């Protein structure tokens, strides 16, 4: 009997281990390991200089350095105006902005404004290379509703590495609607940039990327803080969640299962707050949530496993400790956004995109010289994304969209706002109504891609032009070589 049990047990073990090996990723966790010892770092608000015409001018310097994450150990990192991550840029709708992006790294990079409506030449995609030692100086006018956007490099083939080493930051836009929410930065309006990392035993970042999704870490940093806590001093706090991880998705919730109000998606406020206990964000996605606190209480923001590929794993993210006296917050408005939801016209053009396990879109790998789609500037279209393998997501530059349906069903209420990045589950068809930017430029392409950075680097990206309506067929679908001289810089 005993031997039977033994053999059966052994067989079971073999089956279980075998199945685990077939999974996208081994389940990992940091639960039970943390002490919540370190005060959450709040990225500093970057002060602009104001030009004669009111333009707000910012300087962002990409640099390398060392940062201590694990106690007593230093990691080689990259950062912007610092050694890890970058400062927060905060502007208002209507502001004119200009930047000097200084590259003090010893390699070329770019800086892309993820979620920003702007002329394609200012987008900071793979065509706007900044060579080592050089400065890139884009400018535009902020012309979109309030949103939590962000910036990060977009150098083709190396985006994963540049973001992983620490190049990323927040870019907040406010307007009359968003100012009615808690807006005291770092006090009752707190950013939470969530990233997973692998560390070596010396506390260095490990760039081991042996999964189909690239590097998946077993440790968490929030705003570059390992093992963090944050002290809360108001009865209602707005947290801006940014998933700035290379591939991991988070299924956010609190360990005491308290509910929170979702007030914004990636690219703008919701019409009305939606009360939830869990919210999932894939890489590149953002959400703003408002959490209520009672004096003296504590809770832990957690990521729950829902077992599907990139959401696998259970993580404690940050402990929140409410002060014994809290300032009373103004109630959250019942009506949030005054902007009507994005609607595509009845005769809207429909484009289809096929995703597979091969890091291609529509059976093609990214080609810096090829234009895949030509879109009339300022139009609205329906894009239908069909995923035939693995988990992916989909992001479009210089555009905002509304999710129409997922497998024919309306998305949950909290996902019906303005977005620029959407999770595409394995096997799913997701239809989105896309509102494109209105600056035509037949020479500078914009990108759409999977925001799992390994997939993007591997070629799961396409290029589109926004052109003067009516000129779509006159635009060449290959770009001159000179534009793409850096294409192979990473080889
Ligand atoms: Cu967040 Cu094309 O990028
Ligand atoms: Cu982007
Ligand atoms: Cu992907």
């Amino acid at each position: 009997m005993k031997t039977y049990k033994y053999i059966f047990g052994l067989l079971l073990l073999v089956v279980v281990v075998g199945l685990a090996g077939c999974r996208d990723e081994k389940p990992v966790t940091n639960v039970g390991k943390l002490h919540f010892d370190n005060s959450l770092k709040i990225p500093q608000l970057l002060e602009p200089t104001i030009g004669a015409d009111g333009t707000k001018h910012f300087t962002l310097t990409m640099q390398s350095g060392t940062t201590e994450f694990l106690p007593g150990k230093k990691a080689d990192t990259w950062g912007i105006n610092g050694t890890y991550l970058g400062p927060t840029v905060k502007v208002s709708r209507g502001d004119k902005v200009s930047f000097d992006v200084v590259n003090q790294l010893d390699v070329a990079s770019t800086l892309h404004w993820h979620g920003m409506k702007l002329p394609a030449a200012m987008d900071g995609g793979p065509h706007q290379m900044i060579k080592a030692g050089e400065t890139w100086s884009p400018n535009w006018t902020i012309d979109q509703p309030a949103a939590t956007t962000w910036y990060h490099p977009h150098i083709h083939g190396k985006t994963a590495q540049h973001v992983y080493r620490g190049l990323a930051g927040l870019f907040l836009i406010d307007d009359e609607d968003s100012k009615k929410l808690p807006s005291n930065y770092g006090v009752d309006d707190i950013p939470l940039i969530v990233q997973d990392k692998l560390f070596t035993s010396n506390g260095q970042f490990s760039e081991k990327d042996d999964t189909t999704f690239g590097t998946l870490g077993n440790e968490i940093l929030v705003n570059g803080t390992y093992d963090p806590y944050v002290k809360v001093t108001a009865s209602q706090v707005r947290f801006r969640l940014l998933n700035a991880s290379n591939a991991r998705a988070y299924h956010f919730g609190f360990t005491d299962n308290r509910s929170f109000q979702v007030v914004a998606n990636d690219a703008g406020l919701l019409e009305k707050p939606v009360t939830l206990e869990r919210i999932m964000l894939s890489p590149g996605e953002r959400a703003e949530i408002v959490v209520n606190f009672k004096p003296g209480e504590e809770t832990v923001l957690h990521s729950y496993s829902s077992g599907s590929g990139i959401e696998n794993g259970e993580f404690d993210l940050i402990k929140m400790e409410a002060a014994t006296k809290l300032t009373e917050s103004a109630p959250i408005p019942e009506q949030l956004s005054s902007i009507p939801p994005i609607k595509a016209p009845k005769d809207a053009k429909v484009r289809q995109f096929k995703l597979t396990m091969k890091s291609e879109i529509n059976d093609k790998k990214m080609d810096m010289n090829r234009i895949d789609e030509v879109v009339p500037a300022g139009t609205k279209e329906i894009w239908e994304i069909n995923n035939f393998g693995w988990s992916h997501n989909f992001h479009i530059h210089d555009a905002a969209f509304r999710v129409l349906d997922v497998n024919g069903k309306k998305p949950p209420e909290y996902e019906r706002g303005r977005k620029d990045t959407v999770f595409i589950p394995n096997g799913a068809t997701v239809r989105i109504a896309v509102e494109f930017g209105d600056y035509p430029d037949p020479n500078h392409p914009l990108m759409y891609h999977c925001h799992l950075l390994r997939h993007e680097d591997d070629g799961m990206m396409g290029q589109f032009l926004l052109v003067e309506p009516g000129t779509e067929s006159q635009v060449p679908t290959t770009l001159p070589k000179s534009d793409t001289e850096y294409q192979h810089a990473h080889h």
Side-chain angles (χ1 to χ4, degrees):
M1 209 46 204
K2 257 198 177 152
T3 359
Y4 264 103
K5 264 194 190 157
Y6 178 74
I7 289 171
F8 180 71
L10 210 67
L11 270 174
L12 198 69
L13 192 76
V14 166
V15 169
V16 167
V17 169
L19 278 177
C22 300
R23 298 188 65 96
D24 306 333
E25 176 217 343
K26 283 185 238 86
V28 289
T29 186
N30 68 354
V31 176
K33 246 175 95 174
L34 300 187
H35 307 282
F36 309 108
D37 275 343
N38 302 316
S39 175
L40 177 73
K41 292 177 193 157
I42 305 289
Q44 161 215 338
L45 272 185
L46 186 59
E47 278 301 321
T49 56
I50 314 285
D53 66 345
T55 298
K56 291 182 176 167
H57 182 76
F58 300 90
T59 302
L60 294 173
T61 304
M62 302 165 143
Q63 56 194 77
S64 60
T66 56
T67 311
E68 181 178 319
F69 299 108
L70 304 183
K73 296 178 176 178
K74 291 236 151 128
D76 296 319
T77 53
W78 288 357
I80 295 163
N81 301 1
T83 65
Y84 189 74
L85 295 177
T88 296
V89 176
K90 192 177 177 191
V91 299
S92 297
R93 185 169 195 174
D95 282 350
K96 288 199 202 96
V97 297
S98 65
F99 287 84
D100 281 324
V101 182
V102 184
N103 182 358
Q104 284 182 357
L105 302 170
D106 53 16
V107 294
S109 192
T110 83
L111 204 64
H112 164 59
W113 319 102
H114 178 134
M116 197 64 65
K117 180 183 176 197
L118 38 48
M122 309 297 166
D123 186 54
H127 295 277
Q128 282 88 47
M129 292 285 291
I130 317 166
K131 286 194 239 177
E134 291 195 343
T135 297
W136 176 59
S137 303
N139 69 86
W140 69 95
T141 300
I142 304 293
D143 178 25
Q144 66 190 89
T148 299
T149 76
W150 64 303
Y151 58 84
H152 63 78
H154 214 300
I155 173 172
H156 188 43
K158 288 283 190 195
T159 295
Q161 185 190 64
H162 288 210
V163 174
Y164 190 79
R165 292 184 176 180
L167 301 180
L170 281 166
F171 197 139
L172 313 181
I173 300 169
D174 61 20
D175 64 11
E176 289 315 309
D177 291 337
S178 70
K179 284 178 185 156
K180 294 175 189 152
L181 289 166
S183 298
N184 192 354
Y185 181 79
V187 178
D188 62 6
D189 177 357
I190 299 178
L192 299 176
I193 305 171
V194 182
Q195 299 176 301
D196 62 331
K197 296 291 171 192
L198 273 181
F199 286 99
T200 67
S201 52
N202 322 324
Q204 293 280 359
F205 285 164
S206 162
E207 293 180 11
K208 189 173 98 192
D209 64 344
D210 53 359
T211 84
T212 41
F213 302 114
T215 306
L216 285 165
N218 56 357
E219 302 284 4
I220 299 292
L221 299 179
V222 183
N223 300 348
T225 323
Y226 176 71
D227 201 4
Y229 72 90
V230 65
K231 282 248 191 273
V232 158
T233 55
S235 64
Q236 288 194 310
V237 179
R238 173 188 189 183
F239 292 101
R240 301 178 189 252
L241 304 174
L242 160 63
N243 182 348
S245 301
N246 281 35
R248 191 177 290 286
Y250 302 95
H251 199 222
F252 294 95
F254 289 93
T255 46
D256 58 5
N257 288 319
R258 71 180 54 209
S259 57
F260 49 84
Q261 288 172 285
V262 184
V263 294
N265 289 161
D266 315 318
L269 298 175
L270 294 178
E271 269 184 87
K272 290 182 167 53
V274 177
T275 301
L276 273 191
E277 284 168 16
R278 300 278 185 270
I279 186 168
M280 207 280 256
L281 296 180
S282 67
E285 286 186 292
R286 289 89 67 209
E288 295 177 25
I289 64 171
V290 175
V291 186
N292 286 28
F293 291 95
K294 293 197 194 76
E297 69 176 353
E298 292 183 353
T299 187
V300 172
L301 182 65
H302 188 84
S303 179
Y304 290 86
S305 176
S306 42
S308 77
I310 53 173
E311 312 167 60
N312 218 355
E314 284 260 345
F315 297 95
D316 282 331
L317 305 175
I318 182 170
K319 184 165 150 193
M320 298 180 175
E321 304 175 1
T324 45
K325 267 203 195 120
L326 298 176
T327 42
E328 199 50 46
S329 310
I332 301 304
E334 276 169 42
Q335 190 69 36
L336 295 167
S337 173
S338 56
I339 288 130
I342 299 168
K343 275 208 175 75
K346 282 232 154 51
D347 59 348
K349 180 163 176 91
V350 179
R351 297 182 203 246
Q352 287 178 316
F353 299 88
K354 178 175 140 195
L355 312 181
T356 62
M357 283 158 48
K358 282 164 65 187
S359 287
E360 297 170 342
I361 297 179
N362 289 341
D363 302 314
K364 284 178 279 189
K365 283 210 183 288
M366 163 77 169
D367 180 338
M368 295 271 290
N369 293 107
R370 186 189 66 230
I371 298 301
D372 298 285
E373 307 290 338
V374 180
V375 176
T379 48
K380 297 187 183 79
E381 298 190 345
I382 291 175
W383 282 24
E384 181 184 304
I385 305 134
N386 295 288
N387 181 0
F388 295 93
W390 295 127
S391 293
H392 300 290
N393 69 9
F394 201 84
H395 165 55
I396 311 175
H397 289 206
D398 191 19
F401 55 73
R402 182 167 61 96
V403 181
L404 295 173
D405 43 55
V406 179
N407 292 327
K409 280 200 242 112
K410 265 196 152 201
E413 238 176 307
Y414 70 86
E415 226 178 14
R416 294 185 193 169
R418 293 172 71 89
K419 289 182 64 59
D420 55 53
T421 308
V422 62
F423 183 55
I424 317 283
N426 194 351
T429 293
V430 176
R431 290 193 325 133
I432 58 180
V434 191
E435 177 185 283
F436 289 93
D438 48 16
Y439 309 94
D441 184 343
N443 300 310
H444 295 95
L446 292 154
M447 308 293 137
Y448 54 86
H449 57 90
C450 176
H451 217 288
L452 275 56
L453 300 182
R454 166 70 171 279
H455 293 179
E456 175 184 337
D457 282 342
D458 281 351
M460 201 166 200
M461 177 152 67
Q463 309 196 97
F464 70 102
L465 288 173
L466 287 181
V467 300
E468 204 67 66
T471 66
E472 295 90 295
S473 57
Q474 298 155 31
V475 176
T477 52
T478 51
L479 290 171
K481 281 272 188 266
S482 63
D483 245 40
T484 59
E485 58 186 293
Y486 301 115
Q487 176 171 6
H488 298 294
H490 61 284
H491 286 151

